């Protein structure tokens, strides 16, 4: 039994966490006090007795990690940080003010907060990634604590994490489900049926403990029990009361995401025993020594011979394997298609640093966010089309200021016979519209290898698009391909138009160049391998030199891809554009009709993004007199 | 016991399905014969004895529905259609040929195929939507049969469907899991542990039956048993062998997605007893009479007074409620945020046609696809940010040629204090890059109502973006807002620049107009409420009239949104652009830095998309002499 003094101390802290959650949301005039109050007892015990964290050194790999998957309970999290002396009361009270790091939902701007949350159902996937690192990579005794709402167990991503966490025997995760019965709009499906949650967790291979989340002794015993489980993760299913501690609102629907009114604030604080200023000294972790990473070897990227035929996905796989030798912090993830994406080359060579995510792209990206938070470099791959499954996770990874390396294979109609369900045709649009993103689209093996190398150290969300079919190697293995650059492959001083392609369409552009040349039409050809950031100077020069005649050709829907990136380069961002060449006469060749199945060449032709289409567009441009169009 | 003759008949049919699956994939030179062979016995019994479907009238609401969630087993599906006399052997053998409706993965081009599949883990969500319709809307005895692979149970969306299907007591679903142990790359997590699948299904409230999927009698009894379960859906967990029937490849890894070689083809067909031409007369459904829909009332859209302050999300809710009276086929769905999106107005008035999806956006979109396949009109709403969770489902809905009405609220930084996790800032980019899509972004209540009305009959994927904060009503309730149109709100013959906004930024544009006018700078102001399709003519006229000076201002990332749509309008699609006015001098004001929390006005100002930013950009444009830029 926990002793009475201890229980009283925890109770006092819990009440302080509630009072502070109310105070800061009332001050802000918005926020989620009631969702914070339900979990206050759970967090008071955690903070005082179980959590080990060195706030002077948040990067210490021995630190436990706390993830508020229910990010809307951020007032509770900030109140914990105040109790731990990490932020001042003044900072707490700046909640939701413009410019304050104490944002409406958690973002990694404060010590102890590694990631952004607030899109529900993501925290456990991130914790899963951290737990993989702790158990299999640095092998530290640190524990991953995830506080999850009951509503958000409705997100499928949670069950992807449940499933793989038991598959990987991640006994270093303690998931705490705050079953306060009420979602944003009304009762959850399972209400207070904690048994149902426990049965589901057990069926997915977890140890499950049902408790009263306001019985501090039970909370204590559950945490202690979880530490003893050696072969599987533990879920603590805590029955709680929303707005616990302020009788007027306890278990009342309709108070999610609402601050208390001034008179309620006063009454609630009084009922909770008034303001306190308890300061908790959070235990520092024991100085365990993380497992030494493998010794770094010199980087030996694959080299391909000019003229050889190599699929860029193959080059990716080989480059990642090479990178694995040079950078022990590189970790491989793939969603059950490593034989197609070629992540398998890495997986076979470095099985200790490769984790199969099975079919679950959301989990894969969430895990990658967790791994990068602990300073690993996760490369995660799937078909470009299927990465769209994880779009919300990528969006949130940007909020987390994560450094991710994502690779989408089988892009575009050029995959051929498998049909549109397997074709990534919106991936460039989606990834360009992510904050901090880099979008790369190589056309040959050597270029791919060089870009993979640069991705590794690139901050933000890095996306590489690869091609299923083989394409000719056109660059020497020694060529450099800086991110933000491009390659001018054909050029002379009589160029009448510019053809811009990347990946599979670059080869169509080269073929169109040859045909146009026979007709006496000279074209400049640009390989736009770096779609974001984009090589503005080279584009401006080309527009200058070719009377503004630009043809962009891409194996992607017509919205948001290569063509859009080129047009953006000629657009002012807050004042007048700096381009001062001849007026643009742009043509965008892109996929506009829903494709079916067929051979790659048939598909490119059918979509009007092959050499035939480029030649026709070029003829149209040079025939139409300059000055009669844009 | 099933009689021996019957068993033999089923066996012969199953062997035919296997042989045909091999024949068509060998002819195509690609495809998934082995994944088809594992499920052939399951499908032979279904086709012969249990399925009721009128192929002469695929729209008959009494028809059962079959969904191959494991879309890569399409050869089996096509072989079933051949056996049912729906397609000829010649059509079957056109598998994966350019132009053939017999595509690599199923698309709704053949009778009996309602939706596209091939992105795994989606079929059950679609079947869930169909089953909701059958149980709660038209109340027909039709049954939904979903064939699912074992690998794809790794997708979280499957568990969203498991969860809500039992919550809604959908005893009209029979899910068949083809546990052939092998995924694309290797063994699944659970292998042949059918007990684990069954325990998970039961924990999620399903009836579960474990069988040997090659024992035709067991298959028969399982189907029969499922029909007797009255309060919950049934999962039949069938242990099967990949490539069953061709010993050389049975249960061998490394043969997923690979056609048989010519000599293997010959040997396999021989081993399976050669080609057959069995023709099955699929039972037609009994002529049950679907429940009569409610009587349609005249449409009475909400009217708002000019100058009133109304959030477009409120107008959406009221318009949807009005539409509900006029169109009994309208169905409401929301992901546990109906109080925020205002879907609650519909939910309260038409509870019999509103289905709470709880927190599961993938399920919501999958269910909508299922409902529209049965000719309902689902309006599905969530925060714009959280619809990104379902992006793969939206992508696949386009492959399904679905007619969806999706509504994203809380768009942009203007939501204020909740912070970036809750801000939809990539939604326009994402939805524009979906085939068949329409993207609408109203700025006032009356406009919203008129657009909601038009969405209802609009084919394809329709997306409406709404705003959290109240905005002034600037249009009369009688004004028309055709999709594809725009409104010129300020205009004279001395306009020196054009300001283009939509939604919340339109009001900033109007405010900037007033300030610029005081400085003697006259601006044209365009309300671009229809982002896709876009009003090309009005944009061209404005560019003509204002020396190409265009400022686009949007509460969205700078990629793929309003600004991108405007630039696209001036770009040629396959030949030279038709715009022949003065050179464009475009400026795009959009969100470029990661926002935090703050008041809406602070957020708009901080992102430089408010009237201040527009005024500064306008001054910059008119100061810079024409001819010195684009």
């Amino acid at each position: 039994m926990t002793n009475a003094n201890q229980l009283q101390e925890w109770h006092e802290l819990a009440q302080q966490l509630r009072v502070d959650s109310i105070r800061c949301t009332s001050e802000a005039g918005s926020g989620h006090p009631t969702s914070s109050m339900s979990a206050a007892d759970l967090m008071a015990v955690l903070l005082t007795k179980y959590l080990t964290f060195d706030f002077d050194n948040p990067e210490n790999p021995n630190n436990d990690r706390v993830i508020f998957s229910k990010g809307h309970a951020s007032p509770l999290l900030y109140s914990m940080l105040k109790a731990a002396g990490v932020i001042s009361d003044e900072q707490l009270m700046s909640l939701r003010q413009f410019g304050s790091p104490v944002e409406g939902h958690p973002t990694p701007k404060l010590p102890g907060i590694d990631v952004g949350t607030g899109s529900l159902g993501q925290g456990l996937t991130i914790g899963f990634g951290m737990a993989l690192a702790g158990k299999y990579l640095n092998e530290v005794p640190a524990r991953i604590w995830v506080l999850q709402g009951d509503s958000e167990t409705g997100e499928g991503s949670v069950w992807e994490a449940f499933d793989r966490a038991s598959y990987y025997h991640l006994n270093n995760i303690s998931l705490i489900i705050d079953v306060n019965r009420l979602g944003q709009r009304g009762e959850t499906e399972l209400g207070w049926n904690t048994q149902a949650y426990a049965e589901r967790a057990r069926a997915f291979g977890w140890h499950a403990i049902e408790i009263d989340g306001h019985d501090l002794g039970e909370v204590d015993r559950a945490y202690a029990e979880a530490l003893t489980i050696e072969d599987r993760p533990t879920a603590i299913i805590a029955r709680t009361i929303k707005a616990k501690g302020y009788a007027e609102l306890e278990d009342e629907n309709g108070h999610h995401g609402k601050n208390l009114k001034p008179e309620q604030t006063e009454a609630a604080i009084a009922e909770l025993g008034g303001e306190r200023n308890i300061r908790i000294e959070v235990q520092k972790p024991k100085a365990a020594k993380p497992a030494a990473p493998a010794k770094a070897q010199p980087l030996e990227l694959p080299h391909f011979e000019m003229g050889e035929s190599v699929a860029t996905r193959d080059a990716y796989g080989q480059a990642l394997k090479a990178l694995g030798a040079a950078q022990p912090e590189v970790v491989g993830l793939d969603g059950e298609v490593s034989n197609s994406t070629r992540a398998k080359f890495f997986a076979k060579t470095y099985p200790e640093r490769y984790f199969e995510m099975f079919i679950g792209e959301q989990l894969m990206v969430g895990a990658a966010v967790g791994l990068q938070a602990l300073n690993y470099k996760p490369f995660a791959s799937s078909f470009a089309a299927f990465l769209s499954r994880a779009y919300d996770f990528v969006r949130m990874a940007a909020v987390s200021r994560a450094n991710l390396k994502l690779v989408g294979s089988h892009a575009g109609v050029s995959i051929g016979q498998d049909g549109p369900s397997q074709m990534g045709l919106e991936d460039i649009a989606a990834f360009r519209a992510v904050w901090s993103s880099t979008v790369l689209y190589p056309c040959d093996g050597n270029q791919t290898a060089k870009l993979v190398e640069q991705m590794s150290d690139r901050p933000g969300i890095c996306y590489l698009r690869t091609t299923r079919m083989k394409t000719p190697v056109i660059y020497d293995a020694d060529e450099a391909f800086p991110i933000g650059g491009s390659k001018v492959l054909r050029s002379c001083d009589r160029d009448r138009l510019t053809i811009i392609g990347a990946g599979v369409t670059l080869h169509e552009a080269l073929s169109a160049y040859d045909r146009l040349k026979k007709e006496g039409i000279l074209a400049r050809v640009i390989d736009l391998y770096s779609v974001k950031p984009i090589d503005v100077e080279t584009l401006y020069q080309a527009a200058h030199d070719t009377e503004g005649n630009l043809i962009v050709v891409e194996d992607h829907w017509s919205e948001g891809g290569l063509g859009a990136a080129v047009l953006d380069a000629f657009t002012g961002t807050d004042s007048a554009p700096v381009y001062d060449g001849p007026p643009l006469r742009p043509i965008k060749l892109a996929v506009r009709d829903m494709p079916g199945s067929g051979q790659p060449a048939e598909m490119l032709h059918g979509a009007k993004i092959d050499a035939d289409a480029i030649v026709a567009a070029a003829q149209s441009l040079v025939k139409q007199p300059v000055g009669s169009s844009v």
Side-chain angles (χ1 to χ4, degrees), chain A:
Chain A
M1 291 296 293
T2 322
N3 81 49
N5 282 347
Q6 177 68 86
L7 289 175
Q8 186 56 30
E9 270 177 38
W10 288 337
H11 175 71
E12 288 298 320
L13 175 61
Q15 297 295 76
Q16 170 174 316
L17 297 176
R18 291 186 171 99
V19 167
D20 284 348
S21 296
I22 291 168
R23 289 174 60 233
C24 64
T25 49
S26 292
E27 174 72 20
S30 69
H32 300 76
T34 61
S35 304
S36 297
M37 293 159 81
S38 61
D41 295 308
L42 293 160
M43 291 301 102
V45 180
L46 176 64
L47 192 68
T48 317
K49 181 166 173 187
Y50 291 91
L51 182 68
T52 65
F53 197 96
D54 180 358
F55 282 102
D56 298 327
N57 181 13
E59 300 275 308
N60 184 340
N62 295 308
N63 284 340
D64 283 1
R65 301 285 156 183
V66 176
I67 302 171
F68 265 49
S69 187
K70 51 178 290 186
H72 54 283
S74 60
L76 174 60
L77 178 57
Y78 300 135
S79 299
M80 290 165 69
L81 291 180
K82 178 196 145 181
V86 180
I87 64 172
S88 66
D89 193 68
E90 194 184 347
Q91 282 178 295
L92 173 69
M93 297 300 276
S94 74
L95 173 71
R96 293 173 164 249
Q97 301 305 316
F98 190 76
S100 168
V102 186
E103 295 187 3
H105 289 73
T107 60
K109 292 184 171 174
L110 296 170
I113 304 182
D114 297 306
V115 295
T117 51
S119 179
L120 294 170
Q122 301 202 7
L124 188 59
T125 69
I126 296 168
F128 164 78
M130 292 174 167
L132 280 177
K135 188 164 180 98
Y136 296 103
L137 298 174
N138 58 13
E139 299 172 29
V140 293
R143 196 155 194 85
I144 315 301
W145 305 90
V146 179
L147 178 67
Q148 182 174 286
D150 47 356
S151 274
E152 61 177 316
T153 61
E155 284 287 6
S157 49
V158 167
W159 297 98
E160 296 176 13
F162 261 103
D163 178 56
R164 272 61 133 203
S166 71
Y167 179 83
Y168 283 108
H169 304 288
L170 298 179
N171 62 323
N172 50 345
I173 296 182
S174 288
L175 171 68
I176 303 150
I177 307 186
D178 177 18
V179 185
N180 65 22
R181 192 186 71 82
L182 293 170
Q184 168 173 329
R185 153 225 60 90
E187 185 162 31
T188 62
E189 291 164 275
L190 296 175
W192 270 325
N193 186 351
T194 52
Q195 190 186 340
Y197 288 102
E199 281 169 3
R200 292 180 184 190
R202 287 181 194 120
F204 275 71
W206 284 49
H207 182 66
I209 309 171
E210 290 173 63
I211 61 168
D212 173 347
H214 302 305
D215 182 321
L216 294 159
E218 280 194 37
V219 174
D220 180 26
R221 287 189 294 279
Y223 290 163
E225 181 176 325
L227 298 179
T228 68
I229 307 298
E230 292 185 349
D231 62 341
R232 59 189 61 203
T234 295
I236 296 163
I237 324 284
R239 178 186 160 122
T240 63
I241 293 168
K242 203 158 176 170
K244 170 73 178 178
Y246 178 43
E248 186 178 314
L249 296 188
E250 278 187 2
D251 193 35
E252 282 288 324
N253 194 23
H255 297 278
H256 183 97
K258 287 189 185 156
N259 58 297
L260 272 60
K261 295 172 202 152
E263 63 277 16
Q264 291 176 318
T265 302
E266 204 178 318
I269 293 174
E271 191 173 324
L272 289 160
E275 291 184 36
R276 297 165 180 76
N277 203 1
I278 303 167
R279 171 79 168 74
I280 299 296
E281 206 60 53
V282 173
Q283 302 167 79
K284 296 196 175 179
K286 288 186 189 131
K289 197 171 167 191
K295 191 161 172 282
Q297 307 294 325
L299 178 63
E300 291 192 26
L301 286 177
H303 284 196
F304 304 98
E305 295 300 317
M306 302 270 280
E308 196 181 339
S309 271
V310 177
T312 53
R313 60 176 170 143
D314 274 305
Y316 163 67
Q318 294 186 44
L320 182 63
K321 179 179 149 182
L323 204 62
Q327 303 190 352
E329 66 276 23
V330 167
V331 175
L333 303 173
D334 190 278
E336 227 279 308
V337 288
S338 58
N339 53 337
S340 293
T341 60
R342 307 308 199 212
K344 69 177 178 183
F345 301 144
F346 181 92
K348 280 182 185 160
T349 313
Y350 302 104
E352 72 286 0
R353 283 191 268 150
Y354 173 81
F355 300 100
E356 180 56 56
M357 294 292 104
F358 299 95
I359 305 185
E361 298 75 16
Q362 298 186 102
L363 178 69
M364 180 170 75
V365 175
V369 171
L371 284 159
Q372 67 82 40
L374 302 185
N375 295 317
Y376 292 94
K377 291 180 176 172
F379 280 73
S381 49
S382 183
F383 282 27
F386 305 146
L387 289 179
S388 65
R389 195 70 157 252
Y391 195 40
D392 191 29
F393 285 68
V394 174
R395 180 184 77 84
M396 286 300 299
V399 175
S400 291
R401 278 69 172 175
N403 302 319
L404 295 190
K405 297 95 179 58
L406 302 173
V407 180
S409 70
H410 293 64
V413 301
S414 74
I415 68 161
Q417 292 197 312
D418 269 338
S421 64
Q422 318 293 301
M423 295 170 180
L425 285 166
E426 57 293 300
D427 53 327
I428 296 178
F431 280 104
R432 282 183 67 238
V434 168
W435 183 78
S436 83
S437 70
T438 296
V439 178
L440 306 171
Y441 184 18
C443 69
D444 96 338
N446 289 322
Q447 191 179 52
T448 306
K450 290 289 175 67
L451 292 174
V452 170
E453 177 188 359
Q454 291 172 78
M455 281 175 82
S456 192
D457 294 312
R458 179 96 182 159
I461 313 295
C462 236
Y463 174 62
L464 181 82
R465 184 186 220 218
T466 68
T467 301
R468 177 179 186 274
M469 64 189 262
K470 290 182 179 177
T471 49
V473 175
I474 61 168
Y475 292 112
D476 192 85
D478 294 329
E479 189 105 21
F481 301 95
I483 289 175
S486 68
K487 287 287 170 189
V488 179
L489 286 173
R490 301 287 185 272
S491 163
C492 75
D493 54 12
R494 287 166 297 135
D495 293 338
R496 295 177 63 191
L497 68 137
T498 302
I499 307 169
I500 302 163
V504 73
T505 61
L506 192 270
H507 301 281
E508 299 296 323
L510 291 174
S511 160
Y513 168 88
D514 291 339
R515 286 166 53 182
L516 288 165
K517 191 176 178 185
K518 282 181 194 153
E519 294 181 26
I521 302 173
L522 290 165
R524 182 162 303 183
V525 176
I526 298 177
D527 175 5
L528 198 70
Y529 62 84
S530 179
V531 182
K532 181 183 176 188
I534 198 166
D535 184 355
V536 175
E537 267 182 52
T538 299
L539 293 173
Y540 281 19
Q541 188 66 49
H544 269 279
D545 295 350
T546 65
E547 297 180 327
N549 290 325
L550 301 183
I551 298 175
V552 189
V553 54
E554 53 185 321
D555 194 356
H556 186 279
W557 294 126
S558 66
E559 294 89 0
L562 237 62
V566 169
L567 293 171
D568 274 353
F570 289 91
T571 303
T573 56
D574 54 8
S575 57
V578 296
Y579 171 72
D580 61 357
L584 290 194
R585 306 170 77 227
I587 297 179
K588 192 195 276 190
L589 301 178
V591 183
R592 293 174 193 272
D593 294 320
M594 179 60 76
S597 293
Q599 296 298 327
E602 291 173 319
M603 302 304 296
L604 291 169
H605 185 73
K608 296 183 186 158
I609 55 170
D610 65 347
D612 289 352
I614 299 170
V615 167
Q619 288 166 338
S620 149
L621 260 187
V622 298
K623 267 181 207 154
Q624 185 175 325
V626 172
S628 72
S629 75
V630 183

